[in-house]
Amino acid sequence: MARNKEALVLLLDVGPSMHGVLQEVENICSTLVHKKLVYNRSDEIGVVLFGTKETSNELAKELGGYKHVVVARDIKVVDEETTNALQNLPRGTSPGDFLDAIVVGLDMLIRKFGNIKGKQRMCLVTDAQHPLRDPPQGTKKDQVDTIADQMKRHEIKMDCIIFRESGVRHNAVMDENDQLLYHFRERSVTKVVHVDSPTSLLGALRTRNVLPVTVFRGDLEVSSSFKIKVWVYKKTSEEKFPTLKKYSDKAPASDKFASHEVKVDYEYKSVLEPDTVVPPDQRIKGYLYGPQVVPISSAEWEAVKFKPEKGVKLLGFTDRSSISRHYFMKDVFSFVPEPGNTKAVAAVSALARAMSEMNKVAILRCVWRQGQGNVALGVLTPNISSAKNVLDSFYFNILPFAEDIREFQFRSFSSLPSSSQPTKEQQEAADNLVKMLDLAPPGREEILKPDFTPNPMLERFYRYLDLKSKQPDANVPPLDKCLKKITEPDPDVIDYQAPLIKKLGNVFELKENPKKKKARTQDRLTYTGADDQAKLLEEPSAEKVGVSEALYPPKKKAGEIGDHNPVQDFEAMLTQRSSSTWVQTAIEEMQKYITALIQDSCDRDNHQKALECLVALRKACIIEQEPNEYNGFVTKLCQKFRPAGDKIFLQLLSSKKASLISKEEAPDSDVTEEMARNFCLKPEPSSQ
Amino acid sequence: MDLDPEGLFRDDSDEDDDNVQEREANKEMVVYLIDASPKMFTPATKADEKEETHFHTIVNCITHALKTQIIGRSYDEVAICFFNTKEKKNLQELAGVYVYNVTEREPLDRPDARLIKEFSCIEDSFMSNIGSRYGITSGSRENTLYNALWVAQALLRKGSVKTVSKRIVIFTNEDDPFGGLTGAVKTDMIRTTIQRARDAQDLGLSIELLPLSRPDEEFNMSLFYADLIGLEGDEIVDYLPSSGEKLEDMTNQLKKRMMKKRKVKTLAFAITNDVCIEVNTYALIRSTTPGAITWLDSISNLPLKAERSFICNDTGALIQDPQKRFQVYNDKIVKFSTRELSDVKRVSSHHLRLLGFKPLDYLKDYHNLRPSTFIYPSDEQIFGSTRVFVALHSSMRRLGRFALAFYGNPTRPQLVALIAQEEVTSAGGQIEPPGIHMIYLPYSDDVRYPEEVHLTSDDAPRATDEQIKKASNLLRRIDLKNFSVCQFSNPALQRHYGILEALALGEDEMPDVKDETLPDEEGLARPVVVKAVEEFKASVYGENYDQEEAEAAAAKAGASKKRKALTDAAAEKSAAHNWAELADTGKLKDMTVVDLKSYLSAHGLPVSGKKEALVSRILTHLGK
């Protein structure tokens, strides 16, 4: 099998007690398949359902027994059928026996691959609530031993996801089942996780296989004479939104093999000769130093640049409290002892445990690769393993350098005016909120634990991708119920705590600032999604009525330039200046008005008025740094009215000093003073 | 423009769109107005042997600020202007005001290498070139402070207030500039000066004061400057830095206050359905990377313009910016419009939505992806926001909890942890500002389990108590006293800008930048440390570790001996053929792969690839 190719058998419990979450099981398994269709096209998947009414598997046929286990799909390369097999899972009627299912899954893998070793994995989703069938001989534990030995021999791994809703009371049967699954963990490479909400069920199954790659293998140098062999991996790494390719529709529809891809081509052109392309060997890099550009060739740069030696060195230990959490800069690394090196394992374990006991952390300086151009400075924190078969290790977080910190000063809360200090009653309401909206209530699994929370955006994307492959014009599906619990508080909790929340709303008074009526506030403060917009039209909820009015004040009608007092109207428009487009609008309005004035009549009264407007416009354009706006307008005006013999106006123009705006007055202008002075005296080219 | 083409400073996760936007959106122009009266040149502290003057402190601070600026925000423009000088140099020809500048630079411009270089040693020549004197005296009608403000305002005329934030920063240790005057002259001068300041403020310029006080006489804001910059009531107390016990602390305070706060965004923070407050976000910690590079014509050294064009892969036709994107899924092409994609990404209708609270220890060390963002409340659009924020902040601190919230950023909607930060101050000013840090949390698919990669079913060995004890001893010995997070400067960045500065100034000598991040070899060589290390080593590795290692190394050498023998055999084998002749007659392709490989390994060439590759490699090696 190829290096990163995987064969996976899903063992899904569809017994009666699982019916409530089968939708989520379908969803998460589908996402897994969708991602495989994008990233791992050659992976193979088999699906086994247990707790079904029917029985259909090879073992049952050959040996009998293994009832209520159905092989829904043999191990085959992923395709569209796989997704279909995972849609509308049958609602089973008998309590599921996961040991039977594991044996069937194991048997499928062994039959298919025999002794070929490769990545083989089983994934069990069950609630493990029901008593298992007693084995014909020995205890259940012996049976687990036998199965685990087989798994070990064939290097088959297993992930178990045990789903039990938070309300379910623990009983002896569950304990026994849990113990059996834990026994798997001790005897074979198995991982067991418990989840108690549909949302975390969605996050519990790893939907994408990433081959772990080391960032560094070598010595952790405590001192020049004492080194510990470690391997460094990424512990967290953001799964990105897939980079979609640009689509070209140029290929003829008849071309079945068209790639529809778009190539992006960069050409570098000289400023002096915009038509010639400068070939790569004639280009040189210029580094910016303030306004200066310093040209350096790559070879020169290579000779002088910073070249640290590869290696991971300890600087020392310090108290944990001296490093605040918010200084962690990037994704996290994990330091594990070199596999198979018992001495390194002991050294890492001893250091980690000592650090954890003394509440200390280590500061390291890391250069992962030879030739790397920078160093990473960071903090090593212990990761004491809680599972018996997992080694102790370290986490490593990058810390900022002095240049990376911006020391902004903020007003101390204690010196805020009393109008910004909460009263005793308000403080109490806030305290209650913090106490009651508890996401880690005793006796429950942590709610929205990052390790079990799926990415709602990606979940939705892959679902949409699959949908679109079948219906090209499908709309974006709304976020489903479980995913919504990630982006919004759980409605059940909110209902339950309604009085408390209402209290909080009552004791604090929030008011919109009347002076800041920004037209764009709405855009800036909320994103309204497609589905939300629809909702907004239908039912203005409490929130929309309460706060939204404060947030999005109704748009005030834009001022207009009236005949009565145009200059004042114009200035009023300018002073509103709620957005940059406002100024533009005001200037345009004024220009229209002036043009209309001159065009409409020729009597001096109007000319006078037009001139006043022009002077106002000119002033505004200087203040607003829009000289070209004015210059262009006046030039056009002159071109328009000069042939008509409207000389009087032009004379007035120069007498009132309403000529072009020169560079001296506004730096953005490209008119010199002389040009401005001569503007009105320019002889007529055509009419005379 | 091409940002950091080698990707030296970028790693896979670095895409700080905040940063770029921030840089483009709010450019800043600032005029530093420095009092140069003789009072600034009297030693600041009497007790100190080094007689440092306030003037010296300010020069240091501004140099530091300029250096930081050229690395981080080289788009901003700066002017430096002294007042109370003997000489005058300004467009308005006003007495007692000297606008400092270097050649090839506008008075208000981006800082360049020469400015920093020359300004940092201005003290040597200040007295002879510019000179110092008391500007406002009872005899003359001159008002140098008024003049200085006038010059500063004129300098800041360019650029629109809409897009540029403009500041005047006054450095002085004289709290009563008109103290030497009496009667109508005094009131008149005070009135006109304050009017001048008001006018500037009306034009959108902000005036800030960085007062310097001495231990024995505190800077009294209420005498004059409170009116000048328009402070009222208890704001004055807040404004004044706690008078510097040490000059060093004051320098630190000045450095911090010279930086202008820049907000990244204003967000609506929905705490419950009907309590939604307004907060501003700030990027206090972001990786600083070397600036952008531009491509130049190697002959003329003129910048090149990059032109991008889209070409259809199937037909070769030129396309205007393509609107549709596609993903190959199940061997089918699935098309998306940009509108559909942005709809997919929009999973939340709020900026920031509170979900609940958790105890602080639920936030693990590996729950991190990107640098955190700082949140501070604002009452600008919604009155009462600060009050809610302060109440929540104090509840979270007291109950030891962090808030979990959903940050609906359209490019990457994410779960975030909100940690309340208490204010931390020292004599050097504020160390940690009060507010909330927003930490970006990973999703389940972002977390990996490398510690489980080499999982076996056996029990993992753990350190014994004895080993842990020895490790604790080691920890105690190699202790970094007073470690603070940002005490090291980035050696790569310092070197980068050091080289650029040298080249920009045309110096031949490349600067030697000290790498502060190297371990303290001297400290590690102290006998107590060495002993602790050796004891721990012996307890985890066994007594004879070094010897065993040496043996293992020797065994490895044995392995390399074996390898050498193989090469020799290959050489022998390859010598059996006349390769040059085979190549000339074109018979190489008739040889077996094994034979070809014998030649390659005899000559130390790589043996990978298909047969054709091997043949062509041999031909290249033979020079054919």
Side-chain angles (χ1 to χ4, degrees):
Chain A
M1 253 190 267
R3 206 156 96 93
N4 197 24
K5 192 171 132 181
E6 183 195 55
L8 172 70
V9 178
L10 295 168
L11 311 171
L12 309 177
D13 190 345
V14 295
S17 52
M18 286 291 284
H19 289 183
V21 286
L22 276 187
Q23 182 60 47
E24 277 70 43
V25 175
E26 280 172 20
N27 285 351
I28 186 64
C29 294
S30 304
T31 308
L32 178 122
V33 174
H34 298 160
K35 286 195 188 172
K36 282 194 185 293
L37 281 170
V38 174
Y39 298 105
N40 309 89
R41 277 301 270 117
S42 49
D43 279 4
E44 300 182 55
I45 283 196
V47 181
V48 175
L49 308 177
F50 62 103
T52 50
K53 193 173 165 200
E54 305 81 14
T55 304
S56 157
N57 63 71
E58 293 289 312
L59 285 177
K61 272 179 224 159
E62 291 171 11
L63 304 171
Y66 298 100
K67 287 221 172 68
H68 307 296
V69 180
V70 172
V71 177
R73 193 188 136 89
D74 287 322
I75 303 174
K76 272 189 286 188
V77 174
V78 281
D79 54 20
E80 209 167 319
E81 239 175 72
T82 327
T83 44
N84 295 339
L86 289 165
Q87 290 305 310
N88 304 319
L89 293 174
R91 269 47 181 169
T93 51
S94 58
D97 183 325
F98 61 83
L99 268 188
D100 278 355
I102 292 174
V103 176
V104 170
L106 189 64
D107 174 64
M108 284 164 73
L109 282 169
I110 296 174
R111 270 175 213 258
K112 170 106 187 178
F113 299 106
N115 285 325
I116 309 168
K117 298 210 169 121
K119 272 182 141 178
Q120 294 171 25
R121 189 159 68 107
M122 289 190 287
C123 186
L124 173 71
V125 183
T126 179
D127 54 4
Q129 280 195 17
H130 304 288
L132 300 177
R133 174 171 66 90
D134 278 316
Q137 67 231 22
T139 60
K140 289 174 189 168
K141 211 168 171 188
D142 295 336
Q143 205 187 355
V144 169
D145 280 342
T146 330
I147 301 171
D149 283 344
Q150 283 290 324
M151 284 169 58
K152 237 161 106 178
R153 184 166 318 137
H154 291 92
E155 290 184 12
I156 296 169
K157 297 182 183 177
M158 183 161 72
D159 292 331
C160 305
I161 300 167
I162 306 169
F163 173 80
R164 279 190 204 123
E165 215 133 6
S166 46
V168 175
R169 186 178 294 224
H170 237 277
N171 58 30
V173 177
M174 292 183 196
D175 274 341
E176 191 196 4
N177 288 342
D178 286 357
Q179 285 313 316
L180 286 175
L181 286 170
Y182 289 142
H183 194 60
F184 265 112
R185 186 165 74 184
E186 281 151 29
R187 295 298 309 269
S188 65
V189 183
T190 298
K191 201 175 156 184
V192 183
V193 293
H194 283 268
V195 292
D196 68 352
S197 74
T199 311
S200 43
L201 178 62
L202 283 178
L205 181 66
R206 294 186 60 71
T207 49
R208 188 166 166 205
N209 244 331
V210 182
L211 191 72
V213 182
T214 50
V215 179
F216 173 85
R217 294 180 190 194
D219 294 327
L220 164 60
E221 299 173 34
V222 176
S223 76
S224 51
S225 63
F226 177 49
K227 292 161 185 174
I228 305 170
K229 293 245 178 276
V230 291
W231 285 16
V232 181
Y233 289 96
K234 279 262 167 100
K235 174 68 188 169
T236 59
S237 175
E238 197 174 308
E239 187 182 351
K240 299 262 166 66
F241 196 89
T243 9
L244 305 188
K245 290 182 178 136
K246 292 189 171 67
Y247 182 80
S248 153
D249 50 6
K250 292 276 189 261
S254 56
D255 186 355
K256 290 272 186 302
F257 300 101
S259 68
H260 292 287
E261 282 177 27
V262 174
K263 268 197 309 196
V264 185
D265 200 40
Y266 285 95
E267 280 182 343
Y268 291 89
K269 290 180 178 169
S270 146
V271 183
L272 296 179
E273 301 155 69
D275 296 330
T276 43
V277 175
V278 180
D281 56 340
Q282 260 182 48
R283 298 202 303 252
I284 184 167
K285 274 181 205 151
Y287 290 84
L288 296 181
Y289 188 73
Q292 278 159 288
V293 183
V294 183
I296 313 177
S297 72
S298 306
E300 270 179 284
W301 191 246
E302 203 57 41
V304 290
K305 73 167 193 193
F306 180 66
K307 284 174 291 232
E309 279 293 307
K310 173 183 172 175
V312 172
K313 291 177 163 49
L314 173 86
L315 298 189
F317 298 93
T318 184
D319 289 333
R320 197 181 174 116
S321 55
S322 65
I323 294 161
S324 295
R325 185 63 175 72
H326 63 269
Y327 284 118
F328 292 5
M329 287 282 281
K330 287 183 179 161
D331 29 17
V332 187
F333 296 93
S334 183
F335 277 56
V336 299
E338 186 180 63
N341 184 338
T342 49
K343 286 178 174 152
V345 170
V348 167
S349 171
L351 273 182
R353 279 163 195 260
M355 277 157 73
S356 155
E357 273 169 24
M358 295 169 68
N359 229 351
K360 293 263 181 189
V361 294
I363 306 296
L364 300 186
R365 169 203 198 260
C366 303
V367 181
W368 309 120
R369 282 166 284 123
Q370 192 62 48
Q372 181 179 320
N374 59 356
V375 299
L377 197 77
V379 54
L380 196 71
T381 48
N383 171 23
I384 307 295
S385 149
S386 54
K388 254 194 207 162
N389 59 341
V390 179
L391 299 173
D392 290 337
S393 58
F394 294 113
Y395 295 130
F396 178 72
N397 270 289
I398 309 278
L399 292 178
F401 287 109
E403 291 89 343
D404 304 339
I405 305 259
R406 296 166 208 177
E407 292 176 303
F408 296 160
Q409 307 278 293
F410 290 86
R411 194 162 178 185
S412 158
F413 284 163
S414 55
S415 75
L416 288 173
S418 56
S419 64
S420 292
Q421 304 281 7
T423 61
K424 208 172 156 205
E425 191 192 9
Q426 289 168 332
Q427 189 61 59
E428 212 167 284
D431 280 0
N432 282 334
L433 183 81
V434 175
K435 275 185 213 148
M436 301 318 288
L437 279 185
D438 192 355
L439 294 180
R444 267 202 72 172
E445 299 284 326
E446 177 187 349
I447 301 166
L448 291 176
K449 190 175 179 179
D451 313 55
F452 292 134
T453 307
N455 183 339
M457 174 177 76
L458 290 180
E459 290 289 322
R460 171 147 85 166
F461 172 73
Y462 287 109
R463 221 164 282 173
Y464 186 41
L465 179 67
D466 187 60
L467 185 67
K468 259 205 149 194
S469 75
K470 291 164 190 156
Q471 310 164 30
D473 51 356
N475 279 328
V476 183
L479 212 57
D480 93 19
K481 199 176 83 233
C482 280
L483 296 176
K484 217 153 190 151
K485 286 191 184 155
I486 302 168
T487 67
E488 279 170 23
D490 194 333
D492 296 344
V493 178
I494 295 297
D495 284 348
Y496 182 67
Q497 301 289 3
L500 174 92
I501 286 163
K502 207 159 166 219
K503 175 101 201 290
L504 189 85
N506 288 343
V507 292
F508 286 106
E509 198 183 339
L510 292 170
K511 246 193 320 194
E512 146 213 27
N513 183 348
K515 281 185 208 146
K516 293 262 172 184
K517 282 194 179 171
K518 291 202 174 178
R520 289 194 307 147
T521 313
Q522 177 159 9
D523 305 340
R524 294 202 303 122
L525 285 188
T526 42
Y527 318 111
T528 23
D531 38 333
D532 299 311
Q533 261 162 4
K535 205 164 65 184
L536 211 136
L537 290 174
E538 280 167 25
E539 34 144 20
S541 64
E543 166 202 359
K544 299 269 150 58
V545 177
V547 189
S548 57
E549 237 166 68
L551 280 175
Y552 343 118
K555 216 172 175 179
K556 213 183 155 194
K557 199 172 164 261
E560 275 171 22
I561 294 175
D563 233 5
H564 191 66
N565 210 336
V567 176
Q568 249 174 43
D569 287 349
F570 174 60
E571 276 164 3
M573 270 176 97
L574 281 175
T575 46
Q576 284 197 342
R577 57 164 69 251
S578 41
S579 78
S580 58
T581 52
W582 243 141
V583 173
Q584 197 62 35
T585 332
I587 291 176
E588 270 164 27
E589 282 299 313
M590 195 60 179
Q591 290 176 348
K592 266 189 229 152
Y593 180 74
I594 296 171
T595 320
L597 262 184
I598 303 172
Q599 221 154 16
D600 276 359
S601 87
C602 293
D603 72 73
R604 295 193 73 110
D605 242 23
N606 266 355
H607 274 162
Q608 203 57 43
K609 205 167 178 181
L611 244 154
E612 274 164 24
C613 291
L614 255 178
V615 173
L617 181 66
R618 186 172 193 275
K619 199 171 129 203
C621 284
I622 295 174
I623 293 170
E624 298 297 337
Q625 303 286 329
E626 301 277 10
N628 294 334
E629 197 66 49
Y630 177 82
N631 290 350
F633 174 66
V634 171
T635 317
K636 235 192 262 158
L637 212 62
C638 289
Q639 276 162 2
K640 204 164 170 183
F641 295 111
R642 205 167 264 172
D646 215 345
K647 276 206 194 130
I648 320 151
F649 182 67
L650 283 175
Q651 277 163 13
L652 275 171
L653 206 65
S654 54
S655 73
K656 277 273 184 181
K657 297 212 164 100
S659 178
L660 300 182
I661 300 172
S662 73
K663 237 194 185 75
E664 267 67 22
E665 289 167 291
D668 286 351
S669 166
D670 30 40
V671 175
T672 63
E673 203 165 358
E674 202 179 351
M675 270 161 80
R677 227 181 297 123
N678 295 339
F679 177 71
C680 298
L681 313 168
K682 228 192 284 175
E684 317 302 302
S686 55
S687 58
Q688 286 179 354
Chain B
M1 282 246 188
D2 193 0
L3 283 158
D4 189 20
E6 289 142 299
L8 274 187
F9 290 82
R10 193 177 352 163
D11 60 10
D12 336 321
S13 61
D14 240 39
E15 41 164 11
D16 220 332
D17 41 8
D18 291 357
N19 237 350
V20 182
Q21 282 173 6
E22 195 192 350
R23 188 174 297 160
E24 300 300 318
N26 35 20
K27 187 170 145 172
E28 182 185 281
M29 290 181 181
V30 55
V31 175
Y32 295 128
L33 276 187
I34 306 162
D35 188 351
S37 73
K39 193 174 174 186
M40 295 290 286
F41 290 91
T42 49
T45 40
K46 285 166 192 158
D48 254 341
E49 284 172 26
K50 287 184 289 174
E51 294 197 335
E52 264 198 30
T53 62
H54 278 146
F55 188 78
H56 178 80
T57 311
I58 290 167
V59 170
N60 270 349
C61 286
I62 293 181
T63 312
H64 173 87
L66 289 175
K67 279 189 176 159
T68 320
Q69 191 188 332
I70 209 164
I71 293 179
R73 313 190 50 93
S74 70
Y75 294 87
D76 293 349
E77 299 185 6
V78 171
I80 300 170
C81 175
F82 298 103
F83 63 101
N84 291 335
T85 53
K86 272 201 191 100
E87 303 298 318
K88 64 177 176 191
K89 188 179 145 202
N90 57 70
L91 278 178
Q92 291 76 8
E93 292 291 316
L94 294 171
V97 180
Y98 191 97
V99 178
Y100 179 79
N101 202 6
V102 293
T103 47
E104 294 173 37
R105 190 179 171 275
E106 296 280 312
L108 178 70
D109 204 347
R110 296 158 63 179
D112 61 11
R114 182 170 285 123
L115 180 76
I116 296 176
K117 178 107 184 159
E118 289 183 16
F119 182 75
S120 63
C121 40
I122 189 174
E123 281 171 281
D124 303 339
S125 59
F126 188 84
M127 283 306 167
S128 54
N129 290 345
I130 302 171
S132 158
R133 72 182 169 100
Y134 286 108
I136 304 164
T137 48
S138 50
S140 77
R141 299 287 299 170
E142 278 300 338
N143 183 346
T144 45
L145 184 61
Y146 177 92
N147 290 353
L149 287 170
W150 176 259
V151 169
Q153 191 188 327
L155 283 169
L156 287 170
R157 243 183 46 190
K158 71 172 172 181
S160 158
V161 207
K162 280 179 292 180
T163 52
V164 184
S165 83
K166 298 181 180 181
R167 296 199 294 155
I168 300 174
V169 181
I170 307 171
F171 296 87
T172 183
N173 61 358
E174 176 58 79
D175 49 6
D176 191 10
F178 303 101
L181 307 180
T182 45
V185 186
K186 179 173 177 175
T187 44
D188 195 42
M189 276 207 184
I190 291 180
R191 190 181 50 77
T192 49
T193 313
I194 287 174
Q195 190 52 46
R196 180 83 259 149
R198 289 275 180 283
D199 288 351
Q201 281 161 337
D202 288 347
L203 283 172
L205 314 184
S206 72
I207 301 180
E208 285 163 38
L209 175 73
L210 294 182
L212 296 101
S213 38
R214 296 151 181 275
D216 48 342
E217 52 174 292
E218 185 138 322
F219 195 96
N220 189 348
M221 290 291 288
S222 53
L223 283 179
F224 169 71
Y225 276 102
D227 286 337
L228 184 85
I229 54 179
L231 291 179
E232 282 163 25
D234 49 345
E235 278 178 300
I236 299 175
V237 190
D238 196 40
Y239 195 85
L240 196 68
S242 53
S243 84
E245 281 289 307
K246 282 182 276 173
L247 204 59
E248 212 173 293
D249 290 340
M250 192 152 63
T251 317
N252 275 336
Q253 282 186 26
L254 280 187
K255 279 179 188 165
K256 285 179 188 174
R257 295 180 63 156
M258 275 171 71
M259 278 211 264
K260 188 176 162 62
K261 283 189 295 221
R262 283 162 217 261
K263 71 171 188 216
V264 181
K265 266 180 195 153
T266 300
L267 300 180
F269 178 19
I271 291 167
T272 64
N273 276 342
D274 40 27
V275 179
C276 185
I277 64 170
E278 178 195 357
V279 293
N280 286 335
T281 61
Y282 300 86
L284 297 190
I285 303 166
R286 287 294 180 272
S287 315
T288 308
T289 49
I293 69 140
T294 45
W295 285 103
L296 306 176
D297 188 329
S298 62
I299 299 160
S300 62
N301 269 350
L302 283 172
L304 297 174
K305 218 167 64 197
E307 273 178 22
R308 188 173 62 164
S309 49
F310 300 103
I311 297 161
C312 171
N313 208 15
D314 304 313
T315 57
L318 213 63
I319 320 176
Q320 292 305 313
D321 193 13
Q323 289 302 310
K324 293 238 173 199
R325 303 281 186 273
F326 76 96
Q327 170 73 53
V328 178
Y329 171 76
N330 194 17
D331 301 330
K332 268 193 266 181
I333 284 180
V334 182
K335 281 183 279 179
F336 293 92
S337 69
T338 35
R339 157 101 209 165
E340 284 167 336
L341 286 175
S342 71
D343 280 352
V344 167
K345 292 181 181 180
R346 194 175 292 148
V347 291
S348 161
S349 56
H350 287 82
H351 279 167
L352 199 57
R353 189 81 166 97
L354 181 82
L355 300 174
F357 300 88
K358 291 180 184 180
L360 279 170
D361 57 345
Y362 277 62
L363 183 67
K364 303 294 181 206
D365 287 338
Y366 62 91
H367 289 160
N368 206 68
L369 284 174
R370 286 191 283 144
S372 59
T373 297
F374 183 73
I375 300 179
Y376 195 82
S378 153
D379 278 355
E380 204 170 303
Q381 283 162 58
I382 307 171
F383 285 150
S385 295
T386 310
R387 194 178 233 174
V388 179
F389 189 92
V390 172
L392 204 62
H393 180 270
S394 101
S395 302
M396 276 159 67
R397 280 220 56 85
R398 209 144 19 82
L399 298 165
R401 283 168 188 259
F402 70 87
L404 188 77
F406 192 79
Y407 179 39
N409 180 326
T411 48
R412 165 110 182 145
Q414 220 161 358
L415 277 177
V416 291
L418 304 177
I419 302 182
Q421 171 72 51
E422 209 168 17
E423 185 181 19
V424 181
T425 50
S426 77
Q430 202 173 47
I431 296 176
E432 295 287 353
I436 285 183
H437 290 291
M438 177 157 95
I439 287 161
Y440 300 90
L441 301 176
Y443 287 117
S444 60
D445 276 329
D446 304 334
V447 180
R448 301 176 180 182
Y449 296 90
E451 59 275 18
E452 292 167 14
V453 169
H454 306 285
L455 208 58
T456 54
S457 51
D458 309 322
D459 276 359
R462 302 278 188 241
T464 61
D465 286 346
E466 177 62 24
Q467 288 168 332
I468 297 174
K469 218 179 107 200
K470 290 280 193 287
S472 311
N473 188 36
L474 180 73
L475 256 56
R476 242 170 256 126
R477 291 295 171 208
I478 319 182
D479 192 45
L480 296 171
K481 298 252 155 39
N482 307 323
F483 177 81
S484 97
V485 166
C486 43
Q487 69 185 32
F488 299 110
S489 53
N490 184 347
L493 208 62
Q494 288 299 330
R495 173 118 194 131
H496 179 93
Y497 281 101
I499 294 168
L500 289 187
E501 189 187 306
L503 289 171
L505 291 170
E507 288 168 3
D508 295 331
E509 199 89 346
M510 281 299 148
D512 200 25
V513 174
K514 189 171 164 265
D515 186 352
E516 299 165 348
T517 60
L518 283 168
D520 169 23
E521 297 290 348
E522 231 169 84
L524 287 174
R526 286 204 321 267
V528 272
V529 177
V530 173
K531 185 164 164 263
V533 170
E534 286 308 321
E535 273 178 17
F536 177 57
K537 189 175 168 186
S539 86
V540 290
Y541 283 2
E543 296 290 344
N544 305 320
Y545 178 72
D546 285 333
Q547 202 182 329
E548 284 164 29
E549 278 292 281
E551 277 163 22
K556 237 183 208 163
S560 69
K561 239 179 233 160
K562 208 167 151 196
R563 206 175 304 131
K564 189 158 185 298
L566 276 177
T567 328
D568 287 345
E572 211 169 284
K573 202 172 165 195
S574 90
H577 303 281
N578 184 347
W579 294 93
E581 193 188 307
L582 286 169
D584 286 337
T585 50
K587 280 191 181 147
L588 270 185
K589 60 179 191 305
D590 302 332
M591 307 280 293
T592 65
V593 170
V594 179
D595 283 336
L596 293 173
K597 282 192 175 167
S598 75
Y599 177 89
L600 289 168
S601 47
H603 291 87
L605 296 168
V607 291
S608 59
K610 290 189 175 171
K611 191 170 178 182
E612 293 94 273
L614 301 182
V615 170
S616 73
R617 204 173 293 141
I618 292 174
L619 288 174
T620 331
H621 184 249
L622 287 166
K624 309 271 170 187

